[in-house]
Amino acid sequence: MGSIELRANDLAADISPVGAELLSLSHRRLGEFIWQAQSEAWRRSAPVLFPVVSHYPRGLVMLGDRPMELPAHGFAPSSAFEVLEVTGHSCRLRLASSPPTLATFPYAFELSVDFALDARGLTQVLRVHNPDAEVELPYMLGAHPGFNWPLPGAGPREAHRLHFDAVEAGETQPLGAAPVARYSFDGRAAVPSDIDFSTAHGLPDIASRSVRFGTEATHITLDFDGFEQFALWSRGRAPFLCLEPWSDMPIAITGPRQFAALPGVSRLPPGTSRGYWLRFTPGGAPVLAERR
């Protein structure tokens, strides 16, 4: 099946059933906000990460008596989600445990992803359900939307800013092995072009529930709920920036540890569900003019 096209006034969105991935969010006058995977820098646009986020050193994370053999960000980004419902402005997708997933991740689960487009923006709702009547479900969940940098009509990349809705203090946590300088936050604004993107940067226990990226001319606001961690990532000076709400932040480990017992892992009791929410709102001078 091809991508699912959603339309609402001047906005359009395309979603792939593979990875429940947002491929495009465009405005008729402003243009495309989502990175189009158009170079080797990164061949994705906005996959869903499950049941792990990022990666752990090979062979150190255990699932029972064997090492966890999951790719970085888990199997969800490359999995075909079942399409449950499609309308002109919304769709619902689901990924459930199956013999192939159980062979590498021995837990029952259901992961649903809903998209709904309206005249002002796109809402994405993710829900993790544990269908097992007895066994707790350990998991990590993340969103990984990549945005064009610079955004269309926003001016040079050096003019782009990140504006948080709460005061963020302290330093980022580089998540790779390379020695990378931390970025210091002191307030509500950050300059992404000042960050060394040789690796991803984590914001553990982020206070904000909304971040705006861009300039006054053109910007995108990402609102989120249910996610307690956040990461920023690009690849060097590649023309995209990922704003990533995560349920959990990977921790450094040096010896064998059980996945279900790691501090950076969520746990869902038998028969229960947990929801997460994202909202993408394009903005800028042309949008404001249309709303007057």
Side-chain angles (χ1 to χ4, degrees):
M1 179 180 180
S3 65
I4 300 165
E5 298 181 358
L6 308 180
R7 300 290 183 269
N9 291 10
D10 289 329
L11 290 177
D14 287 354
I15 292 98
S16 172
V18 177
E21 182 168 12
L22 176 63
L23 300 178
S24 170
L25 178 61
S26 62
H27 185 277
R28 180 174 58 86
R29 294 190 183 183
L30 292 174
E32 180 62 63
F33 285 80
I34 298 296
W35 166 250
Q36 294 298 285
Q38 65 262 43
S39 81
E40 291 299 327
W42 189 43
R43 288 297 188 184
R44 305 303 298 258
S45 294
V48 172
L49 317 180
F50 180 90
V52 296
V53 168
S54 189
H55 66 278
Y56 287 97
R58 187 173 181 86
L60 291 186
V61 176
M62 307 296 292
L63 290 171
D65 60 356
R66 55 188 172 89
M68 183 171 69
E69 297 290 344
L70 292 177
H73 298 321
F75 45 68
S78 59
S79 294
F81 281 62
E82 179 185 6
V83 179
L84 299 180
E85 180 181 353
V86 177
T87 72
H89 57 83
S90 67
C91 64
R92 172 169 292 178
L93 303 96
R94 181 180 64 188
L95 180 67
S97 51
S98 63
T101 70
L102 292 169
T104 57
F105 184 70
Y107 296 95
F109 71 87
E110 293 178 2
L111 171 61
S112 64
V113 184
D114 293 8
F115 292 92
L117 186 69
D118 57 54
R120 291 178 177 265
L122 177 71
T123 298
Q124 181 179 4
V125 178
L126 305 93
R127 182 167 296 276
V128 181
H129 175 65
N130 181 3
D132 199 293
E134 299 179 354
V135 179
E136 187 176 65
L137 170 62
Y139 70 92
M140 303 170 78
L141 177 72
H144 199 319
F147 300 98
N148 285 322
W149 183 18
L151 291 171
R157 58 183 280 133
E158 291 77 14
H160 286 54
R161 297 292 183 268
L162 293 166
H163 293 278
F164 297 90
D165 72 338
V167 173
E168 301 297 339
E171 297 178 324
T172 62
Q173 175 183 319
L175 299 177
V180 173
R182 297 169 181 257
Y183 180 86
S184 295
F185 285 87
D186 185 16
R188 296 176 182 265
V191 183
S193 59
D194 288 346
I195 300 175
D196 181 351
F197 282 115
S198 300
T199 187
H201 287 252
L203 284 74
D205 303 314
I206 186 171
S208 299
R209 288 296 173 265
S210 179
V211 59
R212 192 184 79 185
F213 170 60
T215 66
E216 289 301 317
T218 307
H219 49 262
I220 182 90
T221 299
L222 178 65
D223 299 294
F224 51 94
D225 193 35
F227 300 95
E228 300 301 326
Q229 317 294 338
F230 200 84
L232 303 168
W233 179 70
S234 187
R235 180 158 280 155
R237 288 186 57 82
F240 67 85
L241 178 64
C242 292
L243 308 179
E244 305 182 41
W246 293 351
S247 64
D248 304 278
M249 187 74 65
I251 65 166
I253 60 174
T254 57
R257 300 279 298 273
Q258 286 292 329
F259 178 73
L262 288 174
V265 169
S266 292
R267 296 166 186 82
L268 200 55
T272 64
S273 302
R274 187 172 295 143
Y276 302 82
W277 177 87
L278 298 164
R279 173 74 175 174
F280 303 80
T281 307
V287 175
L288 294 175
E290 290 172 1
R291 293 175 181 170
R292 291 192 181 104

